[in-house]
Amino acid sequence: QVVLPDKEQFLMPSYACQRLTPLESHNNKFTEALSLLAENAELNNEEGRAVAFRRAAAVLKALPVMVTSATQLRGLPCLGEHSQRVIKDIIENGVSNEVESTMHSERFKALKLLTGIFGVGAKTADRWFKEGIQSLTQLVHSGHELNPAQQAGLEHYHDLNQPVTKAEAEAIGDIVRRVVLDVLPGSEMTLTGGFRRGKMTGHDVDFLITHPDEGKETGLISKVVSLLTAQGLLLYQKTTRNSYMENKGRLAQPSSTMDRFERCFCIFKLEIKEMRPDKDWRAVRVDLVVAPISQYAFAVLGWTGSKLFERELRRWASQVKSMSLSSHALFDIKQCKYLRTTSEEEIFSHLGLEFIPPTERNA
Ligand code: TTP
Ligand code: MN
Ligand code: MN
Ligand code: MN
């Protein structure tokens, strides 16, 4: 039986790393609804469901037109029954009742508020919610002992939930770059994360640092952190050393989103120009990551995101190419060897994919 393609149907490859996903989508009302259900699933520790909703949302983000009828969904990949129902509800009624009731549920609201505290994950938030904690005031009065990250998160709650602008990211970049070059002349620093994908705001600022002479970068982060601390620029910081060793782990391990680079998760104190009655600075979350030059291309690719795009790249590598991809390396399982590269373009080519520029990785 031959099925002729409907004029209204779209051809769409099933992995997000096979298609272009610009920042601006034509289907915001659908993708926002599906993303909310994904977020709710994440808060409920339902990883599989969350990924299914994220993939469905990514398909609609990549569509070149706005969906106006359910027939347009035929033939599209990654749209499970549940996601299709949500989309149809929105087409027919303007809203999805499931999304509305989730969004307004006490549980979702409380978990979002609590995980909005830097250092608080879904499990901790869930435990607190079960004890009846639904607000920051209730948390403060609960007598729970908070770890240093959570204390800083609570103290700077307002600032850290304000979007960071591109201008603020660049201002921080200028300060950090000066310190990095002081510590190790010749270093290179790249703005990664959402800003590299063209976003105008973000929840944090991500920087990747390297040096053209392999090995020189070792220990760089602790010196940078000391100098920034001495200048009073860090409100909180947690530094970890590099723990990656080729061949010691399996393949291109780790395959999860956490990598093993030398890094610092910090809260930056950024001076602001406009007059405020109370204070002349704001807190900004900053991630500083150091990669050896031999792993730099993988690190840039891994830290540019989006999170779903990264996940899809790794899934493509393993399911279609029998390769293992991480932010450190690409390992060819059949040939049993690491594939060396110096650019993102080469990594895509090793993976048998057309190059997707950063601004089209907004899956
Ligand atoms: P995020 O900063 O969390 O996300 P983002 O920059 O895309 O969005 P936002 O504007 O909200 O900040 O992560 C950036 C990328 O870094 C993401 O693709 C995942 C990657 N990453 C790692 O590779 N390893 C890690 O350990 C972490 C925490 C993130
Ligand atoms: Mn980011
Ligand atoms: Mn984020
Ligand atoms: Mn980040």
Side-chain angles (χ1 to χ4, degrees):
Q1 190 193 348
V2 181
V3 182
L4 292 173
D6 190 306
K7 243 202 244 125
E8 293 206 274
Q9 265 179 243
F10 300 101
L11 262 180
M12 168 105 44
S14 65
Y15 289 81
C17 53
Q18 294 175 286
R19 50 184 198 242
L20 303 177
T21 313
L23 204 52
E24 299 298 335
S25 143
H26 299 87
N27 290 292
N28 284 342
K29 63 181 172 181
F30 303 110
T31 60
E32 277 162 20
L34 293 166
S35 301
L36 186 134
L37 295 180
E39 197 180 355
N40 186 53
E42 277 153 12
L43 291 170
N44 291 335
N45 247 306
E46 301 171 314
E47 175 84 353
R49 269 164 79 85
V51 173
F53 285 129
R54 296 252 176 242
R55 284 205 192 112
V59 164
L60 295 195
K61 277 184 207 168
L63 274 183
V65 298
M66 183 165 74
V67 170
T68 51
S69 102
T71 60
Q72 293 169 300
L73 304 177
R74 265 188 281 149
L76 289 179
C78 308
L79 296 184
E81 232 175 89
H82 197 153
S83 296
Q84 293 201 35
R85 194 168 66 237
V86 171
I87 298 165
K88 279 178 196 154
D89 283 348
I90 297 173
I91 293 173
E92 283 161 20
N93 314 316
V95 291
S96 146
N97 287 333
E98 184 186 3
V99 172
E100 291 298 301
S101 65
T102 302
M103 188 163 46
H104 296 114
S105 73
E106 292 303 316
R107 179 180 159 80
F108 181 78
K109 284 191 289 185
L111 293 185
K112 258 207 82 118
L113 181 96
L114 296 172
T115 55
I117 306 170
F118 170 65
V120 177
K123 281 184 192 143
T124 304
D126 186 53
R127 188 155 34 83
W128 289 344
F129 177 71
K130 284 183 177 139
E131 292 170 20
I133 298 170
Q134 300 199 40
S135 71
L136 299 184
T137 319
Q138 285 171 335
L139 175 62
V140 169
H141 291 116
S142 70
H144 276 293
E145 183 122 7
L146 303 181
N147 67 33
Q150 295 164 345
Q151 281 173 33
L154 197 56
E155 187 175 343
H156 304 293
Y157 186 86
H158 174 80
D159 277 6
L160 297 184
N161 283 284
Q162 289 290 112
V164 184
T165 65
K166 185 84 191 279
E168 288 169 331
E170 275 160 4
I172 293 170
D174 289 342
I175 296 165
V176 175
R177 183 173 293 105
R178 211 169 303 137
V179 171
V180 166
L181 287 174
D182 259 2
V183 171
L184 185 62
S187 298
E188 281 154 36
M189 194 172 98
T190 313
L191 180 59
T192 60
F195 289 113
R196 185 160 184 260
R197 301 197 307 276
K199 284 177 66 178
M200 292 312 288
T201 61
H203 95 285
D204 70 354
V205 192
D206 307 284
F207 292 111
L208 191 60
I209 304 163
T210 192
H211 191 279
D213 301 332
E214 181 101 5
K216 282 257 176 73
E217 80 291 342
T218 308
L220 174 65
I221 219 70
S222 49
K223 290 176 198 154
V224 169
V225 167
S226 298
L227 281 181
L228 290 172
T229 304
Q231 293 180 34
L233 293 175
L234 297 186
L235 298 161
Y236 167 86
Q237 65 88 12
K238 181 162 170 44
T239 305
T240 27
R241 281 182 310 173
N242 186 329
S243 62
Y244 177 75
M245 273 187 268
E246 205 171 88
N247 298 321
K248 289 276 170 72
R250 280 187 308 117
L251 315 178
Q253 292 279 335
S255 59
S256 74
T257 48
M258 279 307 271
D259 56 59
R260 289 159 185 256
F261 290 118
E262 185 177 303
R263 70 167 81 226
C264 175
F265 291 143
C266 60
I267 301 177
F268 200 92
K269 182 175 176 178
L270 178 67
E271 262 182 53
I272 46 178
K273 302 275 150 34
E274 85 254 30
M275 290 300 281
R276 282 216 218 160
D278 47 340
K279 57 176 196 176
D280 57 1
W281 56 272
R282 69 159 290 189
V284 179
R285 270 275 299 115
V286 174
D287 289 336
L288 302 176
V289 182
V290 176
I293 190 83
S294 62
Q295 297 170 22
Y296 197 59
F298 296 105
V300 171
L301 179 60
W303 274 85
T304 298
S306 69
K307 285 197 186 83
L308 185 75
F309 189 87
E310 302 295 334
R311 182 186 263 277
E312 292 281 279
L313 266 180
R314 286 160 202 213
R315 192 166 70 95
W316 166 272
S318 97
Q319 294 185 346
V320 180
K321 307 301 283 186
S322 295
M323 292 179 186
S324 165
L325 173 71
S326 74
S327 294
H328 299 276
L330 178 61
F331 185 83
D332 187 321
I333 296 165
K334 283 193 201 132
Q335 297 187 59
C336 201
K337 70 169 191 193
Y338 286 95
L339 303 174
R340 311 287 164 184
T341 73
T342 54
S343 69
E344 284 187 316
E345 281 83 352
E346 270 183 280
I347 302 174
F348 280 89
S349 143
H350 276 315
L351 289 168
L353 290 168
E354 286 202 33
F355 180 67
I356 311 280
T359 53
E360 302 292 336
R361 297 181 201 161
N362 289 291

